[in-house]
Amino acid sequence: MRVSDRMRERTTNRLTRGCAEGYLSVDTLSVRVDAAFSARRDSELDRLVADVPKLPWRLDEVRRFVGRTARRAREWLYGPPRLPPPPLTTEGEHMLIGRAESCNLVIESPTVSRRHAELRLHDGRWLLSDLGSTNGTWVNGWHVEQAVLESGDVIGFGEFSATFG
């Protein structure tokens, strides 16, 4: 059977993953990829990957995909979750937000930094400050370093988002 571009792509992807996992050397990868692009039959492609095991999806990739899909479905059905105003009462008191157990508000998401943001009561208003997070802090779709929050603002930490107040 004649080889399609899709079959060539699958073969080269499998060869590349096999090289990354240590089943092939870089030189062998180069020779086999060249052979994949000049192959005319499926059987030629099959021979190129015969000694490379089929690599299953990695468990962390599956978890990320399932989590992202479930979160999007929840948000589509119910909107983003609502976070009540924090129980801070005295001026200057703060609340840490992040993935670490030491944070006041723990968000278990790989896109949230260990110490992602800080929420502080300042002059009777809520001030949200990013703490140098990797994936950023967002308020109403805008990337912010610092912002004053109002009730109803949509805040985001990495891929996690919620409505404030």
Side-chain angles (χ1 to χ4, degrees):
M1 186 168 151
R2 187 169 172 262
V3 178
S4 68
D5 289 338
R6 186 174 182 180
M7 292 173 72
R8 285 184 212 278
E9 184 177 343
R10 282 186 191 163
T11 301
T12 56
N13 286 342
R14 188 167 164 193
L15 289 169
T16 304
R17 284 193 315 263
C19 182
E21 294 289 329
Y23 293 104
L24 301 173
S25 69
V26 176
D27 293 334
T28 304
L29 172 67
S30 176
V31 169
R32 290 189 184 183
V33 168
D34 288 343
F37 284 110
S38 63
R40 294 181 179 268
R41 300 191 189 287
D42 290 346
S43 59
E44 294 175 54
L45 293 178
D46 292 340
R47 279 195 303 268
L48 294 173
V49 294
D51 60 341
V52 179
K54 282 189 174 182
L55 301 174
W57 278 43
R58 292 190 174 134
L59 188 57
D60 58 330
E61 291 173 356
V62 172
R63 284 184 181 147
R64 263 189 305 222
F65 174 75
V66 169
R68 216 174 21 243
T69 305
R71 185 174 50 255
R72 287 182 182 149
R74 253 192 329 272
E75 288 178 4
W76 182 75
L77 289 172
Y78 307 110
R82 291 193 73 80
L83 293 180
L88 305 178
T89 55
T90 59
E91 193 71 24
E93 197 173 2
H94 71 277
M95 175 184 233
L96 286 177
I97 301 166
R99 206 177 62 226
E101 294 295 322
S102 60
C103 291
N104 305 97
L105 176 61
V106 177
I107 302 172
E108 294 180 9
S109 170
T111 61
V112 175
S113 297
R114 286 183 190 90
R115 290 176 36 102
H116 197 101
E118 176 186 66
L119 193 58
R120 180 180 300 273
L121 188 59
H122 181 72
D123 292 334
R125 303 183 84 185
W126 296 108
L127 182 65
L128 179 66
S129 303
D130 185 81
L131 298 176
S133 63
T134 304
N135 293 314
T137 300
W138 305 79
V139 176
N140 297 326
W142 293 90
H143 184 257
V144 298
E145 294 297 319
Q146 205 170 52
V148 175
L149 295 179
E150 301 291 333
S151 183
D153 283 343
V154 177
I155 55 176
F157 310 104
E159 288 184 357
F160 177 83
S161 65
T163 303
F164 181 73

